[in-house]
Amino acid sequence: MAEIQQKESGGKKKKGAQKKMDIHVDFTPMVDMNMLLISFFMLCTTMIKSQTLNITLPSNDKNLEQKDLSKAAESEAVTLILTSDYDDKGTVEDNTIYYFFGKPYMEDQDGDGLLDTPEDPSMGVLHAEKFLGDAGGVQRGIRSILRKRNETVLNRIDSLKREWRRPGSEMTDAEFEEKAKAIRNDSTLSRPVVVIKATPEASWESIISTLDEMQINQITRYQINTINGVDSALILDYLNKNKVQ
């Protein structure tokens, strides 16, 4: 509480002299009130759970031997090579993803300096795509390519998701996540093994976008590797065939 105390000065007072007063403020009650308010808000406030992205990481099964970690069936192997184009100011203009399935095809039998087309053009031949979002529920760009390679797993998870969201379903969120994880890691299903490689020109944006596509398409078997001479030769051959400057 505030108190006003009149200050008495000794000696003879002059007629009409103004009385001097001292104001004393006691802050003790205010400190007590502040402590009560802090305690009230701490006890009554609902703590907000941190909203973080759940990233599906590659399998960490310790029962797998080291030699098996680098093995994959040729039909399941997918290689992505990332590169970016920049403007005069150094700003990223566009990101391109080169990709091929299986082993790279590197034969030039006619000697024209360009790689031949194999009997099965879907295997070993370099193609190019972009990062494109969905349009009307339809996947586009590299997302569409990866979804087709992991279609078996995605169909199983979509079926499980419909069962989970069905009215009256007794499946809990934890049970759904556990069953979905089992499907993603089911070795009996046809699943792609993706090798992600970045050229020196590739931007961080392209790498992060590629990892996002792994999450969106429920791909659990992937790794980031370094680009080699064969990859560079495939890109150069693709640019020459398509007359890209």
Side-chain angles (χ1 to χ4, degrees):
M1 298 178 60
E3 296 180 357
I4 300 177
Q5 298 176 349
Q6 182 175 344
K7 184 177 180 181
E8 298 290 345
S9 58
K12 186 178 180 181
K13 297 181 180 180
K14 293 182 180 180
K15 186 178 181 180
Q18 188 176 4
K19 296 180 180 180
K20 295 182 179 181
M21 297 182 180
D22 290 335
I23 299 176
H24 172 71
V25 179
D26 185 5
F27 284 98
T28 303
M30 185 175 291
V31 173
D32 293 341
M33 181 61 69
N34 286 337
M35 294 302 298
L36 289 173
L37 289 174
I38 292 172
S39 300
F40 172 78
F41 287 124
M42 288 180 63
L43 294 173
C44 298
T45 301
T46 301
M47 298 300 177
I48 300 176
K49 184 179 179 181
S50 178
Q51 300 296 319
T52 57
L53 177 63
N54 294 323
I55 300 178
T56 302
L57 298 176
S59 175
N60 193 28
D61 187 356
K62 299 187 182 300
N63 294 325
L64 294 176
E65 296 183 10
Q66 185 63 34
K67 62 180 182 180
D68 295 328
L69 294 175
S70 59
K71 287 185 177 180
E74 185 175 355
S75 59
E76 297 177 342
V78 182
T79 300
L80 305 180
I81 307 174
L82 315 178
T83 189
S84 302
D85 297 322
Y86 300 83
D87 59 17
D88 296 337
K89 298 181 179 180
T91 304
V92 177
E93 285 187 326
D94 195 15
N95 294 308
T96 301
I97 312 98
Y98 297 102
Y99 69 93
F100 63 87
F101 305 127
K103 297 179 180 179
Y105 190 80
M106 295 292 295
E107 293 188 12
D108 178 20
Q109 296 181 355
D110 53 13
D112 61 353
L114 300 176
L115 300 179
D116 300 332
T117 302
E119 296 181 1
D120 184 0
S122 65
M123 300 297 291
V125 178
L126 195 71
H127 304 276
E129 267 296 352
K130 302 291 184 181
F131 290 108
L132 300 175
D134 298 349
V138 178
Q139 293 76 26
R140 302 182 300 164
I142 194 63
R143 183 174 301 175
S144 174
I145 303 300
L146 294 173
R147 182 175 180 83
K148 290 178 181 178
R149 304 298 293 187
N150 203 33
E151 192 170 17
T152 303
V153 171
L154 290 171
N155 288 341
R156 293 280 188 92
I157 293 180
D158 288 342
S159 178
L160 179 65
K161 189 178 296 184
R162 288 192 295 269
E163 179 184 350
W164 171 49
R165 293 178 175 176
R166 176 175 51 83
S169 174
E170 297 181 356
M171 186 184 303
T172 64
D173 295 355
E175 289 174 343
F176 168 77
E177 291 295 340
E178 187 66 26
K179 291 181 179 180
K181 180 180 179 180
I183 294 174
R184 288 192 294 264
N185 295 324
D186 189 351
S187 59
T188 63
L189 299 178
S190 176
R191 301 176 298 153
V193 178
V194 181
V195 179
I196 304 170
K197 299 183 178 184
T199 64
E201 296 79 19
S203 64
W204 279 108
E205 176 188 359
S206 65
I207 297 176
I208 294 172
S209 296
T210 304
L211 295 177
D212 287 342
E213 294 299 333
M214 299 298 107
Q215 172 74 11
I216 292 171
N217 291 283
Q218 305 287 336
I219 297 175
T220 58
R221 299 193 297 174
Y222 61 89
Q223 68 174 35
I224 298 178
N225 210 329
T226 55
I227 191 171
N228 55 39
V230 173
D231 302 323
S232 300
L234 287 173
I235 294 176
L236 182 60
D237 179 75
Y238 177 88
L239 297 177
N240 290 333
K241 285 182 177 179
N242 293 275
K243 306 298 181 182
V244 178
Q245 300 296 326

